[in-house]
Amino acid sequence: YIGKKGKQVVEYLGITYAKAERWQAPVPVPASDKVYEAFKYGPCCLQNNELKFSPFKDFPQSEDCLTLNVIRPAKLPKDKKLPVLVNFHGGDFSYGGSASPLEDGANFVREQQDIIYVNFNYRLETLGFMDFSKVEGGEKYAQSGYLGILDQLLALKWIKQNIEAFGGDVNNITIFGESAGGGIVSILMTLDDAKGLFKRVIAQSGTLNLTSTLDDFKAKGQAKAFLNVVNAKNMDDLMKLTEKQIVDAMKQPSKVIGMEGISGVGFLNNMPL
């Protein structure tokens, strides 16, 4: 990867860490000997960008959003690897992304000069946390209620496997997040599949309580409400939706779609991990 080199930091932006079909588990990208120019952020996940909190009113959105960013000092020490900070963005499981100015770690690295900073996109709301397993034809989509978590696990695995090449210490990875991100990093402490992927956790304004009180019933109920909004009867109908139709459905003033409902966060009771 060729990064954007400044006087004090180098930014590697928009690195694809996984691919995923709609409402399917992510898969790692195949190994490659190609050279990539990592000069700009990847698109954020589809979301309601009309929310007053959204930082992405004019930023590209896509279902193909599983990218990460690595920011390191321009000069790396010769005698040691640097600690790694991995940021999980917040946003009620419904909005946000790694390109948000709130998540930009360049100034932090510029001032500290002894940190590797990583942040990434994961699937949100309808695409990442809504449980379609009980919809007609939903047998193939049993993992749909916690795809965002599977994305995050795969991002951490990519970091564990590759961050040393950027100057990072694979044995000194700290994950942290705010709000929904704080809830997520708390969840990861409980998952067997996350063992060994990080050393420390910082949960900011978010805990396991953000999700443990919202049950599996809610995630399935929101899926049913989503079908009503888009006039769909089964998974075949849902698979025919365009990205615009999905985003338009997120904008509907329904208490079970979007921020007011935090779609699909019953994943904690569903995950067979």
Side-chain angles (χ1 to χ4, degrees), residues 65-189:
C65 63
L66 301 182
T67 63
L68 57 77
N69 314 300
V70 178
I71 303 175
R72 66 166 179 82
K75 294 183 179 180
L76 292 172
K78 296 180 180 180
D79 57 342
K80 66 175 182 178
K81 297 294 183 179
L82 296 179
V84 181
L85 277 175
V86 183
N87 180 23
F88 289 64
H89 74 79
D92 281 345
F93 304 94
S94 298
Y95 66 94
S98 67
S100 167
L102 293 172
E103 316 299 337
D104 184 3
N107 285 335
F108 184 78
V109 175
R110 190 176 292 116
E111 293 176 2
Q112 302 300 320
Q113 288 295 300
D114 59 355
I115 286 290
I116 304 290
Y117 176 91
V118 185
N119 68 349
F120 63 97
N121 294 328
Y122 55 91
R123 282 174 287 180
L124 303 168
E125 200 189 79
T126 306
L127 295 175
F129 295 105
M130 193 172 283
D131 187 348
F132 293 102
S133 62
K134 298 304 181 183
V135 174
E136 180 184 336
E139 298 82 5
K140 298 179 181 179
Y141 304 92
Q143 296 175 308
S144 58
Y146 49 87
L147 293 173
I149 298 292
L150 296 182
D151 295 343
Q152 293 151 12
L153 286 169
L154 209 52
L156 287 175
K157 290 176 182 177
W158 189 99
I159 294 165
K160 187 77 172 181
Q161 293 169 358
N162 296 285
I163 201 62
E164 188 172 5
F166 296 88
D169 183 349
V170 296
N171 296 313
N172 193 1
I173 297 174
T174 298
I175 63 174
F176 73 103
E178 178 268 335
S179 190
I184 289 166
V185 297
S186 298
I187 288 168
L188 290 174
M189 287 191 290

Side-chain angles (χ1 to χ4, degrees), residues 17 39 73 99 114 143 159 164 177 198 220 253 258 273:
Y17 68 86
F39 293 163
D114 59 355
Q143 296 175 308
I159 294 165
E164 188 172 5
F198 52 87
K220 291 181 172 65
L273 299 176

Side-chain angles (χ1 to χ4, degrees), residues 16-68:
T16 300
Y17 68 86
K19 291 286 187 179
E21 297 182 11
R22 183 180 292 181
W23 293 310
Q24 295 285 0
V27 295
V29 291
S32 172
D33 58 0
K34 294 182 179 180
V35 176
Y36 294 92
E37 293 182 343
F39 293 163
K40 60 182 182 179
Y41 292 106
C44 62
C45 182
L46 301 183
Q47 59 193 267
N48 179 5
N49 59 5
E50 293 181 356
L51 295 170
K52 65 179 179 180
F53 304 103
S54 175
F56 294 122
K57 297 186 183 301
D58 300 307
F59 195 81
Q61 299 184 18
S62 174
E63 290 185 70
D64 186 14
C65 63
L66 301 182
T67 63
L68 57 77

Side-chain angles (χ1 to χ4, degrees), residues 7-25:
K7 291 183 178 180
Q8 294 176 298
V9 299
V10 181
E11 299 177 77
Y12 301 88
L13 307 178
I15 296 173
T16 300
Y17 68 86
K19 291 286 187 179
E21 297 182 11
R22 183 180 292 181
W23 293 310
Q24 295 285 0

